[in-house]
Amino acid sequence: MFTGIITDVGRILELEQKGDLRARIGCAYDVDGIDIGASIACNGVCLTVIALGSAPQAWFDVQISAESVSKTNIGDWVVGAPLNLERALKLGDELGGHIVSGHVDGVATIVSMSDEGESTRFVFEAPAHLAKFIAPKGSVALNGTSLTVNEVDGCRFGVNIIPHTQEVTTWGQAKEGDVINLEIDTLARYVARLQEFDS
């Protein structure tokens, strides 16, 4: 379980396709405090740590199934690319964003970006089967970042990203056309499921 509050921007150091995809991710975390088997959200995808090291810099390895690759933007990963990282939530941690599972539902595309005050207004297009779960003033996780939806128009929705978020995540490097991991709000998923039984 995660909160969508990014705690580090890591970098892909190695990618190896051997059955499943294996990735080595450089980070600023103290790897002595990470257990093998721990979960780390990488661009919003909950992945399991299978190896750790600290030379020449801190890193962890993850193994990624074909299913995860097919549902996310992991197929676009390249060596050197930055990734939003978040360690799993611990009891007593502040829940600063919203409840995020790290189980990405699909991908959205950045349709437009425009300055709005000091913030940037992003408009995304979501797949039709996921758009119904996105509501104005609701929450979404985009590349692992907890964000508030401003408005919804069919399959398109907008969010504002403040300068601080752009500085401490990969959002400062985003551009139109980028494919972004999308996780809908868990509460929206359950409300929709309940409505199916009520109708």
Side-chain angles (χ1 to χ4, degrees), residues 75-98:
D76 297 334
W77 285 11
V78 294
V79 171
L83 298 175
N84 291 327
L85 302 180
E86 182 185 359
R87 303 255 334 253
L89 187 63
K90 296 186 183 102
L91 280 175
D93 283 353
E94 179 179 342
L95 183 58
H98 72 284

Side-chain angles (χ1 to χ4, degrees), residues 57-81:
Q57 70 166 107
W59 56 265
F60 62 92
D61 284 358
V62 293
Q63 197 167 9
I64 308 162
S65 71
E67 170 72 9
S68 294
V69 173
S70 72
K71 293 285 191 292
T72 67
N73 65 13
I74 291 173
D76 297 334
W77 285 11
V78 294
V79 171

Side-chain angles (χ1 to χ4, degrees), residues 2 25 41-42 45 59 65 73 87 89 91 110 147 182 188 194-195:
F2 306 92
I25 299 166
C42 304
V45 185
W59 56 265
S65 71
N73 65 13
R87 303 255 334 253
L89 187 63
L91 280 175
I110 300 176
L147 295 165
L182 167 64
L194 286 168
Q195 286 178 332

Side-chain angles (χ1 to χ4, degrees), residues 12-25 36 47-53 59-66 69 74 77-79 83:
I12 300 170
L13 302 178
E14 297 176 17
L15 290 168
E16 182 182 17
Q17 189 72 55
K18 189 187 284 186
D20 288 334
L21 178 65
R22 184 169 173 144
R24 176 160 295 178
I25 299 166
I36 299 295
L47 297 173
T48 301
V49 174
I50 61 169
L52 295 158
W59 56 265
F60 62 92
D61 284 358
V62 293
Q63 197 167 9
I64 308 162
S65 71
V69 173
I74 291 173
W77 285 11
V78 294
V79 171
L83 298 175

Side-chain angles (χ1 to χ4, degrees), residues 42-167:
C42 304
N43 265 7
V45 185
C46 177
L47 297 173
T48 301
V49 174
I50 61 169
L52 295 158
S54 57
Q57 70 166 107
W59 56 265
F60 62 92
D61 284 358
V62 293
Q63 197 167 9
I64 308 162
S65 71
E67 170 72 9
S68 294
V69 173
S70 72
K71 293 285 191 292
T72 67
N73 65 13
I74 291 173
D76 297 334
W77 285 11
V78 294
V79 171
L83 298 175
N84 291 327
L85 302 180
E86 182 185 359
R87 303 255 334 253
L89 187 63
K90 296 186 183 102
L91 280 175
D93 283 353
E94 179 179 342
L95 183 58
H98 72 284
I99 297 293
V100 176
S101 69
H103 302 155
V104 170
D105 295 291
V107 294
T109 303
I110 300 176
V111 175
S112 66
M113 298 167 56
S114 57
D115 292 335
E116 195 168 275
E118 294 184 358
S119 299
T120 303
R121 168 67 64 106
F122 287 75
V123 175
F124 299 88
E125 181 145 1
H129 71 283
L130 296 176
K132 66 181 179 180
F133 297 103
I134 301 171
K137 304 310 172 192
S139 297
V140 290
L142 295 169
N143 272 358
T145 313
S146 175
L147 295 165
T148 301
V149 176
N150 289 331
E151 78 287 329
V152 178
D153 181 11
C155 290
R156 293 189 174 189
F157 65 97
V159 302
N160 274 52
I161 300 184
I162 64 172
H164 171 77
T165 301
Q166 292 183 56
E167 289 167 14

